[in-house]
Amino acid sequence: MNDAAPAPTPAPAPRRRARVRAPELIGKGGWLNTGGKDLTLADFRGRVLILDFWTFCCINCLHVLDELRELEEKHRDTMVIVGVHSPKFVHEADHAAVVDAVERYEVHHPVLDDPELATWKQYAVRAWPTLVVIDPEGYVVAQHAGEGHAHAIERLVEELEAEHEAKGTLRRGDGPYVAPEPVATDLRFPGKALLLPSGNFLVSDSTRHQLVELAPDGEGVVRRIGSGSRGFTAESFSEPQGLTLLPDGRVVVADSVNHALRTFDPVTGAVETVAGTGRQWWQGSPTSGPALEVDLSSPWDVAWWQGKVWIAMAGVHQLWTWDPETGTVAVAAGTTNEGLVDGPAAEAWFAQPSGLAAAGDRLWIADSETSALRYVEAGAGSGADGYAIVTAVGSGLFDFGHRDGDAAQALLQHPLGVTALPDGSVAVCDTYNHALRRYDPATGQVSTLATDLREPSDAVLVDDDIVVVESARHRLTRLRLPEEAVRVDAVAHRTRRAATEVAPGTLRLDVVFQAPAGQKLDTRYGPSTRLLVSSTPPELLVSGEGRGTDLFRDLELNPEVPEGVLHVSAMAASCDDDPANEYPACHVHQQDWGVPVRLVPDAATRLPLVLAGLDAE
């Protein structure tokens, strides 16, 4: 931060508001992790209740699941977390897919499946993830959007415990969580696969926190690497994903929840950490330097290309590189803003890049949240590195589906994997369409190679066959590459969220942030808050786009543009407010919103987005 920068103008102090009763929890999908019991708010009376509005495609939601694990265990007798699953993609409204996701990500609390976003609307939620805190008497006391709030919620939980213990309204005891019956399979939600020089397959068995070596038939287990328990040691991984071979024969592993790169030597069996600290990267952290000293964020796939390991850094919507020669990491592409913007690598926007495949002068990318196939092209950029980002298929964060034909109008749905084919085309694991798709750069056409797969997440070429990781069927499936495409009826979808009606002209944007109790905004090194605003289409905003340090801004909406999306990214840093503490603990709170808006005369002229606290208006 810049010492000379002016301090941000504080947002208006929130007015005291009447206590608000928490709306009932409703969802047509019903309850999971409760032993078949349907729950209501009355079942949580006497406990601190935290509602976690999440969807399983969202990397930030997965980060929050991990943030809450320690809090959940520590306050198990007074606090209950309920996951309210609120889908973005059509596939995420499938109850069976939600059941899979709850197991895949080891969600150990009750989950309400809300496919129609009924509870989301009742609580006026605008972003994934959002946390709502309800006190033991059933009143909403706080709301937090985005990541980095676990410390604030823990302090609030402790305050509520003390307050309601004194009032006699706190009820201790076991919560309503009932673990599902375990299922025996050799793999459990595998993520990525690699063909070893021996002819065996190496598979990241993500939910079991292991690597598994399989025989050439893709079925026989040769050995398991890792203890099978979540951890960050030479014997353990945490939800490993991407794999790539180094020229020296070692395998690089994207150890996603450990926020690290590890190497595995198939000859000696040795596992070594080569990049990452085990901590998650936050805004303001270093973006280059000695690999073992720089934080990473949910590396999801890796590929050896142009003498370096390229990393799909899903957690911050960027591509990074690790150079084994120098032992350093650096950002290679992306700004951390979430969206679909092409151009010079340093200016491009991604949205959860999750699959990589090297092919000559191109590095192909499965950009999952934009349902897009993109690539890095060497020698085409204007910057010193000469890299440019180009989109082959996909149109943005909110449009997806299954449509073949010309790439300009073709649609995918949350692809996680991409594989270069010998003829110069690429196969795409179109995960939420349960399909294997093909894009041919020579013709600009998209076709379907296979359907009836179940959440395919990666694919490996073996001679004339392609071996697909069917993640939700817990297996590898061998297919012969077909001569002709499969005929599929075209479907197109938009994200399930309803647009917010706002008036054309001046719109007041208020990002609500209240520092946790005992903390204050960290202004020691300049402004502690940041706000970035843009829109799709760009013509929606007459003025108000760009960066600033205030958490509020007047936007001017173009009355000639009937609808669009406001992209808002906010960050606030707070520290312990104790003058006697020379080294106060500091925390970063951040969230990106994509808010669909529809311009309607006489509609709202204010758009509140809660980062932390409660909106007073």
Side-chain angles (χ1 to χ4, degrees), residues 393-428:
V393 182
S395 57
L397 283 166
F398 300 98
D399 294 284
F400 54 91
H402 192 144
R403 183 193 287 152
D404 289 328
D406 187 75
Q409 54 83 53
L411 293 172
L412 308 169
Q413 186 179 180
H414 197 80
L416 291 178
V418 60
T419 305
L421 299 178
D423 64 358
S425 65
V426 289
V428 180

Short mmCIF file of all heavy atoms in Angstrom, two decimals, residues 393-428:
data_model
loop_
_atom_site.label_atom_id
_atom_site.label_comp_id
_atom_site.label_asym_id
_atom_site.label_seq_id
_atom_site.Cartn_x
_atom_site.Cartn_y
_atom_site.Cartn_z
N VAL A 393 -14.23 -20.67 -27.31
CA VAL A 393 -15.65 -20.98 -27.10
C VAL A 393 -16.06 -20.38 -25.76
O VAL A 393 -15.35 -20.55 -24.77
CB VAL A 393 -15.91 -22.51 -27.07
CG1 VAL A 393 -17.41 -22.80 -26.91
CG2 VAL A 393 -15.35 -23.19 -28.31
N GLY A 394 -17.22 -19.73 -25.71
CA GLY A 394 -17.72 -19.19 -24.46
C GLY A 394 -18.02 -17.71 -24.56
O GLY A 394 -17.37 -16.99 -25.34
N SER A 395 -19.00 -17.26 -23.75
CA SER A 395 -19.41 -15.86 -23.85
C SER A 395 -19.46 -15.13 -22.51
O SER A 395 -19.70 -13.93 -22.49
CB SER A 395 -20.78 -15.76 -24.52
OG SER A 395 -21.74 -16.52 -23.83
N GLY A 396 -19.24 -15.82 -21.38
CA GLY A 396 -19.22 -15.07 -20.12
C GLY A 396 -19.71 -15.88 -18.94
O GLY A 396 -19.98 -17.07 -19.04
N LEU A 397 -19.85 -15.18 -17.83
CA LEU A 397 -20.17 -15.82 -16.55
C LEU A 397 -21.58 -16.37 -16.47
O LEU A 397 -21.85 -17.26 -15.66
CB LEU A 397 -19.97 -14.82 -15.41
CG LEU A 397 -18.54 -14.53 -14.97
CD1 LEU A 397 -18.50 -13.28 -14.10
CD2 LEU A 397 -17.96 -15.71 -14.21
N PHE A 398 -22.50 -15.87 -17.29
CA PHE A 398 -23.91 -16.15 -17.04
C PHE A 398 -24.59 -16.98 -18.11
O PHE A 398 -25.74 -17.36 -17.97
CB PHE A 398 -24.67 -14.84 -16.82
CG PHE A 398 -24.13 -14.06 -15.65
CD1 PHE A 398 -23.25 -13.01 -15.83
CD2 PHE A 398 -24.49 -14.41 -14.36
CE1 PHE A 398 -22.74 -12.31 -14.75
CE2 PHE A 398 -23.97 -13.72 -13.28
CZ PHE A 398 -23.11 -12.67 -13.46
N ASP A 399 -23.90 -17.28 -19.22
CA ASP A 399 -24.49 -18.04 -20.31
C ASP A 399 -23.79 -19.38 -20.46
O ASP A 399 -22.55 -19.43 -20.53
CB ASP A 399 -24.41 -17.26 -21.62
CG ASP A 399 -25.26 -16.00 -21.57
OD1 ASP A 399 -26.50 -16.13 -21.70
OD2 ASP A 399 -24.71 -14.91 -21.38
N PHE A 400 -24.56 -20.45 -20.55
CA PHE A 400 -23.99 -21.79 -20.65
C PHE A 400 -25.04 -22.71 -21.24
O PHE A 400 -26.22 -22.37 -21.36
CB PHE A 400 -23.52 -22.29 -19.29
CG PHE A 400 -24.58 -22.24 -18.22
CD1 PHE A 400 -25.41 -23.33 -17.99
CD2 PHE A 400 -24.77 -21.10 -17.46
CE1 PHE A 400 -26.40 -23.28 -17.02
CE2 PHE A 400 -25.75 -21.04 -16.47
CZ PHE A 400 -26.58 -22.14 -16.25
N GLY A 401 -24.64 -23.91 -21.61
CA GLY A 401 -25.57 -24.87 -22.17
C GLY A 401 -24.83 -25.93 -22.95
O GLY A 401 -23.63 -26.14 -22.77
N HIS A 402 -25.54 -26.63 -23.85
CA HIS A 402 -24.94 -27.65 -24.71
C HIS A 402 -25.39 -27.37 -26.14
O HIS A 402 -26.50 -27.70 -26.54
CB HIS A 402 -25.39 -29.05 -24.28
CG HIS A 402 -24.60 -30.15 -24.92
ND1 HIS A 402 -24.28 -31.31 -24.27
CD2 HIS A 402 -24.07 -30.27 -26.16
CE1 HIS A 402 -23.59 -32.09 -25.08
NE2 HIS A 402 -23.46 -31.48 -26.23
N ARG A 403 -24.53 -26.67 -26.88
CA ARG A 403 -24.86 -26.33 -28.26
C ARG A 403 -23.62 -26.52 -29.12
O ARG A 403 -22.56 -25.96 -28.82
CB ARG A 403 -25.34 -24.88 -28.35
CG ARG A 403 -25.77 -24.47 -29.77
CD ARG A 403 -25.94 -22.97 -29.87
NE ARG A 403 -27.15 -22.51 -29.19
CZ ARG A 403 -27.28 -21.30 -28.65
NH1 ARG A 403 -26.26 -20.47 -28.65
NH2 ARG A 403 -28.41 -20.94 -28.08
N ASP A 404 -23.74 -27.35 -30.16
CA ASP A 404 -22.66 -27.59 -31.10
C ASP A 404 -22.73 -26.60 -32.26
O ASP A 404 -23.65 -25.78 -32.36
CB ASP A 404 -22.72 -29.03 -31.62
CG ASP A 404 -22.34 -30.06 -30.56
OD1 ASP A 404 -21.50 -29.73 -29.70
OD2 ASP A 404 -22.87 -31.18 -30.60
N GLY A 405 -21.74 -26.72 -33.17
CA GLY A 405 -21.73 -25.87 -34.36
C GLY A 405 -20.64 -24.83 -34.30
O GLY A 405 -19.58 -25.04 -33.68
N ASP A 406 -20.89 -23.69 -34.93
CA ASP A 406 -19.90 -22.63 -34.99
C ASP A 406 -19.51 -22.17 -33.58
O ASP A 406 -20.38 -21.95 -32.72
CB ASP A 406 -20.44 -21.45 -35.79
CG ASP A 406 -19.38 -20.39 -36.01
OD1 ASP A 406 -18.49 -20.61 -36.84
OD2 ASP A 406 -19.45 -19.37 -35.31
N ALA A 407 -18.22 -22.02 -33.36
CA ALA A 407 -17.73 -21.71 -32.00
C ALA A 407 -18.30 -20.41 -31.46
O ALA A 407 -18.45 -20.25 -30.24
CB ALA A 407 -16.21 -21.66 -32.01
N ALA A 408 -18.63 -19.46 -32.33
CA ALA A 408 -19.14 -18.17 -31.87
C ALA A 408 -20.45 -18.30 -31.12
O ALA A 408 -20.78 -17.45 -30.28
CB ALA A 408 -19.29 -17.22 -33.05
N GLN A 409 -21.23 -19.35 -31.42
CA GLN A 409 -22.50 -19.52 -30.74
C GLN A 409 -22.58 -20.83 -29.94
O GLN A 409 -23.60 -21.13 -29.32
CB GLN A 409 -23.66 -19.46 -31.74
CG GLN A 409 -23.54 -20.43 -32.92
CD GLN A 409 -24.03 -21.81 -32.61
OE1 GLN A 409 -25.16 -21.98 -32.15
NE2 GLN A 409 -23.19 -22.82 -32.84
N ALA A 410 -21.51 -21.61 -29.91
CA ALA A 410 -21.49 -22.88 -29.17
C ALA A 410 -21.49 -22.62 -27.67
O ALA A 410 -21.04 -21.57 -27.20
CB ALA A 410 -20.28 -23.71 -29.57
N LEU A 411 -22.00 -23.59 -26.91
CA LEU A 411 -22.07 -23.45 -25.46
C LEU A 411 -21.54 -24.69 -24.76
O LEU A 411 -21.76 -25.82 -25.19
CB LEU A 411 -23.52 -23.22 -25.02
CG LEU A 411 -24.17 -21.90 -25.45
CD1 LEU A 411 -25.67 -21.91 -25.11
CD2 LEU A 411 -23.49 -20.71 -24.79
N LEU A 412 -20.86 -24.46 -23.64
CA LEU A 412 -20.39 -25.49 -22.72
C LEU A 412 -21.04 -25.22 -21.37
O LEU A 412 -21.67 -24.19 -21.16
CB LEU A 412 -18.87 -25.44 -22.59
CG LEU A 412 -18.02 -25.45 -23.87
CD1 LEU A 412 -16.56 -25.13 -23.55
CD2 LEU A 412 -18.12 -26.79 -24.57
N GLN A 413 -20.85 -26.15 -20.40
CA GLN A 413 -21.36 -25.93 -19.05
C GLN A 413 -20.32 -26.38 -18.03
O GLN A 413 -20.17 -27.56 -17.77
CB GLN A 413 -22.69 -26.66 -18.82
CG GLN A 413 -23.29 -26.32 -17.45
CD GLN A 413 -24.62 -27.00 -17.16
OE1 GLN A 413 -25.20 -26.80 -16.10
NE2 GLN A 413 -25.13 -27.81 -18.08
N HIS A 414 -19.56 -25.41 -17.53
CA HIS A 414 -18.58 -25.62 -16.45
C HIS A 414 -17.58 -26.73 -16.79
O HIS A 414 -17.50 -27.75 -16.09
CB HIS A 414 -19.30 -25.92 -15.14
CG HIS A 414 -18.42 -25.74 -13.93
ND1 HIS A 414 -18.16 -24.52 -13.38
CD2 HIS A 414 -17.75 -26.64 -13.16
CE1 HIS A 414 -17.37 -24.67 -12.32
NE2 HIS A 414 -17.11 -25.95 -12.17
N PRO A 415 -16.79 -26.57 -17.84
CA PRO A 415 -15.78 -27.59 -18.17
C PRO A 415 -14.61 -27.55 -17.19
O PRO A 415 -14.17 -26.47 -16.78
CB PRO A 415 -15.34 -27.20 -19.58
CG PRO A 415 -15.52 -25.71 -19.61
CD PRO A 415 -16.75 -25.43 -18.77
N LEU A 416 -14.08 -28.73 -16.86
CA LEU A 416 -12.96 -28.81 -15.92
C LEU A 416 -11.69 -29.35 -16.55
O LEU A 416 -10.62 -29.25 -15.94
CB LEU A 416 -13.33 -29.69 -14.72
CG LEU A 416 -14.37 -29.13 -13.76
CD1 LEU A 416 -14.66 -30.14 -12.65
CD2 LEU A 416 -13.91 -27.82 -13.15
N GLY A 417 -11.78 -29.95 -17.74
CA GLY A 417 -10.59 -30.56 -18.32
C GLY A 417 -10.49 -30.31 -19.80
O GLY A 417 -11.50 -30.11 -20.49
N VAL A 418 -9.25 -30.32 -20.33
CA VAL A 418 -9.01 -30.14 -21.76
C VAL A 418 -7.81 -31.01 -22.13
O VAL A 418 -6.85 -31.14 -21.36
CB VAL A 418 -8.78 -28.65 -22.09
CG1 VAL A 418 -7.58 -28.09 -21.35
CG2 VAL A 418 -8.64 -28.43 -23.57
N THR A 419 -7.87 -31.63 -23.32
CA THR A 419 -6.84 -32.56 -23.78
C THR A 419 -6.53 -32.26 -25.24
O THR A 419 -7.44 -32.20 -26.08
CB THR A 419 -7.34 -34.01 -23.65
OG1 THR A 419 -7.75 -34.25 -22.31
CG2 THR A 419 -6.24 -35.00 -24.05
N ALA A 420 -5.25 -32.08 -25.56
CA ALA A 420 -4.85 -31.85 -26.95
C ALA A 420 -4.89 -33.16 -27.72
O ALA A 420 -4.38 -34.19 -27.26
CB ALA A 420 -3.44 -31.26 -26.99
N LEU A 421 -5.49 -33.13 -28.92
CA LEU A 421 -5.60 -34.31 -29.76
C LEU A 421 -4.57 -34.25 -30.89
O LEU A 421 -4.10 -33.16 -31.26
CB LEU A 421 -7.02 -34.41 -30.35
CG LEU A 421 -8.15 -34.53 -29.31
CD1 LEU A 421 -9.51 -34.58 -30.00
CD2 LEU A 421 -7.96 -35.76 -28.42
N PRO A 422 -4.20 -35.41 -31.46
CA PRO A 422 -3.11 -35.45 -32.44
C PRO A 422 -3.35 -34.61 -33.69
O PRO A 422 -2.40 -34.15 -34.33
CB PRO A 422 -3.01 -36.94 -32.80
CG PRO A 422 -3.62 -37.65 -31.64
CD PRO A 422 -4.68 -36.75 -31.11
N ASP A 423 -4.62 -34.39 -34.07
CA ASP A 423 -4.91 -33.66 -35.31
C ASP A 423 -4.94 -32.15 -35.11
O ASP A 423 -5.32 -31.40 -36.02
CB ASP A 423 -6.21 -34.15 -35.93
CG ASP A 423 -7.43 -33.86 -35.04
OD1 ASP A 423 -7.24 -33.31 -33.92
OD2 ASP A 423 -8.56 -34.20 -35.44
N GLY A 424 -4.57 -31.67 -33.93
CA GLY A 424 -4.56 -30.24 -33.66
C GLY A 424 -5.83 -29.73 -33.01
O GLY A 424 -5.89 -28.57 -32.59
N SER A 425 -6.86 -30.58 -32.92
CA SER A 425 -8.08 -30.18 -32.21
C SER A 425 -7.91 -30.49 -30.72
O SER A 425 -6.88 -31.02 -30.29
CB SER A 425 -9.29 -30.92 -32.78
OG SER A 425 -9.20 -32.31 -32.54
N VAL A 426 -8.93 -30.11 -29.94
CA VAL A 426 -8.86 -30.37 -28.50
C VAL A 426 -10.17 -31.01 -28.04
O VAL A 426 -11.25 -30.70 -28.55
CB VAL A 426 -8.60 -29.08 -27.68
CG1 VAL A 426 -7.19 -28.59 -27.89
CG2 VAL A 426 -9.59 -28.00 -28.01
N ALA A 427 -10.04 -31.93 -27.07
CA ALA A 427 -11.20 -32.52 -26.42
C ALA A 427 -11.43 -31.78 -25.12
O ALA A 427 -10.49 -31.51 -24.37
CB ALA A 427 -10.97 -34.01 -26.15
N VAL A 428 -12.68 -31.46 -24.84
CA VAL A 428 -13.05 -30.72 -23.63
C VAL A 428 -13.92 -31.60 -22.75
O VAL A 428 -14.93 -32.14 -23.21
CB VAL A 428 -13.83 -29.43 -23.98
CG1 VAL A 428 -14.21 -28.66 -22.71
CG2 VAL A 428 -13.02 -28.55 -24.92
#
